[in-house]
Amino acid sequence: MERARFITIFFIGFTHLVVSQTVDVQYDKYSSTAAYAGRKLEKSLLGQGYQVKGEQVDYSINLTLDDKILDKEAYAITREGNHITITGGDGKGLIYGSLSLAEDLGNGVSLEKTKARNQIPNLAFRAIKFNLPWDAYREGYAMDLHMETCRSVDFWESFLDMMAENRFNALTLWNLHPFTFMIKPKNFPEASPFTDREMKEWQDLYHTIFRMAKERGIETYIVNWNIFVSSEFAKAHNVALENLKNRIHYGIGDTSEVVKRYTRESVTQVLEEYPNLSGLGFTHGEAMRGMTPAQRQDWFKDTFIEGIRLADRKTKLIHRIPLLADNDAEQLTRDAMEELDFLEGPIWAEVKFNWSHAHSTPKFIKVHGGKLGDTYFKPEPKNYKIAWMARNEDFFCLRWGEPNFIRKHISTNTQSYVGGYFVGSEGYIPAKDYFTKITDSVDWKYAFQRQWLFYKLWGRLLYDPSTPDAVFEAAFTRRYGKEGENLLQAYSLASTVPLRLASSFDFTWDFSLYSEGFMAMNGQSMDYISIDRQIEQQPADPNYVSVSDYVKKRLLGESFSKDRITPPVLANMLEKDCQMALRLIKNIDIDKNNSLLYEVADIKVWANLGMYFAEKLKGAEALQTYRLEGGEKNKQNGIKHLQNALGFWDKVIVITSPLYMEMPLAAYSYPHEGNASVINDNRKFHWKKLRPEVAKDIVIAKNTVVESNGQ
């Protein structure tokens, strides 16, 4: 409520100019998408002081469809005198056109100054990956704490509004076995753990989510891992018993006929009971141990695919690419997708971009399991399109936004066989805000609202990569007035820090790197990245050079080409951008706005983490030089730079301690003798908790000796 009042006051100068003007908004009230577009536009008009409807009309706005002149999801705004027409190629385009005009109004542009414009979507599939907290892939407190929030209709209404505003057009909901919460299987009622009343509550929630999404032009998909069944089903039929052991991800695939039938019938029943659900997705992955790629593909053909075929409706499909890099498996999967001719296409073939860390380099380096060949791309697929999974496992607390990185990502990776992107996390659910200490008078309620810039940049740029920075700068101005003028540029500079860390530090799965915490997996635990680890770790991006390789080659009198990013070059880039970011926010007045306080603080944190990283790289180079060549000056330089690094880490602690609570990290698990052991369930993160490890780098430097074998 405080947020809404602030916006009204801020734009009162504009509303005085139009308070007596009346607008008639005409739209098809029987179309759910047109009605949503009309309501959003009317709300914006009222917010800027216009009257909606009246005896005498000063302006008329007509919302109409024309799929003959406009593509799907495209829109055009035209004006003749005091008559404005918003035309959509479909209902989604109509929503986007209406939101575009509403955005103008929010920026203080009167109807009198409305300019004609049009936009067409760059990518057809712009999805959010959302892991649900019930029967969750990751276990433990960090998931469970979102349960109440994610069962709230108000939360989903806000989240879906955000998606529509930012031009996301698909919501994908993920958990191990979704059917338990959506249906009471007709032929397997024993599979349900719920009473009729409890089942209805779950069904009402799903029906409401799917209905609200459809109104906003958003497709919905449920995506699962395999082969999971409910505990009740497993016990009743004495099958899939490994499903009972903490819902382990590494279980043996149970392909019993009763499991196949249950899965197949559940697929059909879900599709028939939820007409607003757009489609399903499945994974060649968990709980399928011991099965060959061919056996896994046969499983899906007999269960999911057959269940879809038997349903009395058309369905869309997300077909996740097998979680391994293998030419035979790739060809098998491609052939299977090309044979599916009864789906509402195209099939979205999901591929993890750079495994779990898309926020690294925009170069396509690896997928889950290693490098990917060109089997899926050559020849050009006919029945499917690649949809990159842009996973974020690198920053959950700190706000982030670097538009040029996203533009580069899109321009580099949207070949003709690419249909779109997923954006989201595995180890983080953007629902309950468990970060914020100062909750008074902030303009967010839910976690995703804290990261508004992240979603706005990804969504708007996936829709149209040519969207200028002015659009995002205006969003800051709407929120903070004149104090917001430099924030986009400052974020763009400071947000390079995690990208550069992840480009310079090789990774694999989710917890192999956590960039905002400068943590990485060390054996079976996630720890602070020590100075020794920083020296030896090879980069993810082959254009980067590790500290160990750089020092070794330099001491041999050799050099790297100018396009390579060596540790000194990287340190200089970090210092330059982070110092500029700090200068841009130096004079911002944060005393009267707690939301702005957090925005500015996060830029400061990223910038100081970047300065810490630069000093650490300098210390690493000096220390490794001492180890290989000797020279007391090298050792002392290493100690000095690591002391400087600790100083910047201490600044991060000073900034974050009054603002952020200790944050639970998602639990992870490892296979052990066929079972999985859950690790890290009670661990909480805060930069202050890592200070002893940061200080230990200095001790390591002081105790370092020259290696006996020299160079």
Side-chain angles (χ1 to χ4, degrees), residues 168-186:
F168 286 106
N169 66 357
L171 173 66
T172 62
L173 301 173
W174 303 58
N175 61 351
L176 293 182
H177 187 62
F179 307 131
T180 301
F181 304 89
M182 301 180 72
I183 58 168
K184 181 164 285 189
K186 295 175 182 177

Side-chain angles (χ1 to χ4, degrees), residues 450-663:
R450 300 173 61 258
Q451 287 279 12
W452 67 270
L453 182 62
F454 172 88
Y455 291 104
K456 186 173 289 293
L457 289 175
W458 268 112
R460 296 294 291 270
L461 292 173
L462 286 173
Y463 180 77
D464 182 0
S466 68
T467 301
D469 281 354
V471 169
F472 309 116
E473 290 167 351
F476 277 108
T477 302
R478 287 197 302 274
R479 288 170 174 264
Y480 307 119
K482 185 176 177 60
E483 300 296 337
E485 289 180 355
N486 291 333
L487 288 179
L488 179 68
Q489 185 181 357
Y491 265 114
S492 298
L493 293 165
S495 293
T496 61
V497 173
L499 305 177
R500 288 169 176 163
L501 173 62
S503 295
S504 67
F505 194 98
D506 198 16
F507 49 75
T508 54
W509 66 297
D510 311 6
F511 295 103
S512 62
L513 181 65
Y514 175 41
S515 294
E516 77 181 350
F518 277 79
M519 300 173 72
M521 288 302 296
N522 183 17
Q524 290 193 2
S525 64
M526 178 185 282
D527 298 325
Y528 165 75
I529 298 171
S530 69
I531 187 63
D532 287 334
R533 183 80 180 273
Q534 189 73 61
I535 290 170
E536 295 299 331
Q537 186 80 1
Q538 290 299 303
D541 186 334
N543 202 45
Y544 281 67
V545 180
S546 71
V547 173
S548 59
D549 288 348
Y550 172 73
V551 172
K552 181 179 180 180
K553 196 165 184 176
R554 179 174 58 77
L555 292 180
L556 291 172
E558 301 174 5
S559 62
F560 291 90
S561 60
K562 292 183 179 180
D563 64 328
R564 300 293 298 278
I565 300 176
T566 62
V569 170
L570 178 55
N572 183 63
M573 293 163 64
L574 288 162
E575 287 181 333
K576 180 181 177 182
D577 287 350
C578 292
Q579 287 169 356
M580 176 58 75
L582 291 172
R583 285 197 294 271
L584 286 168
I585 61 173
K586 183 177 180 180
N587 296 319
I588 293 178
D589 182 5
I590 59 175
D591 290 339
K592 298 179 182 179
N593 190 320
N594 282 342
S595 300
L596 181 60
L597 166 69
Y598 273 91
E599 297 271 17
V600 172
D602 283 6
I603 294 171
K604 289 180 179 178
V605 174
W606 278 129
N608 279 284
L609 285 173
M611 299 295 287
Y612 147 83
F613 188 21
E615 289 292 335
K616 185 174 183 177
L617 288 168
K618 293 177 185 178
E621 180 191 347
L623 197 59
Q624 184 66 1
T625 301
Y626 174 74
R627 287 172 174 172
L628 297 183
E629 188 179 52
E632 185 63 21
K633 184 177 180 181
N634 290 323
K635 182 175 183 178
Q636 293 306 315
N637 278 339
I639 294 170
K640 179 189 71 173
H641 286 301
L642 293 176
Q643 288 172 334
N644 292 342
L646 179 60
F648 285 112
W649 194 273
D650 282 339
K651 288 183 180 180
V652 170
I653 294 172
V654 169
I655 297 166
T656 57
S657 291
L659 299 180
Y660 290 119
M661 297 184 283
E662 294 184 6
M663 299 154 257

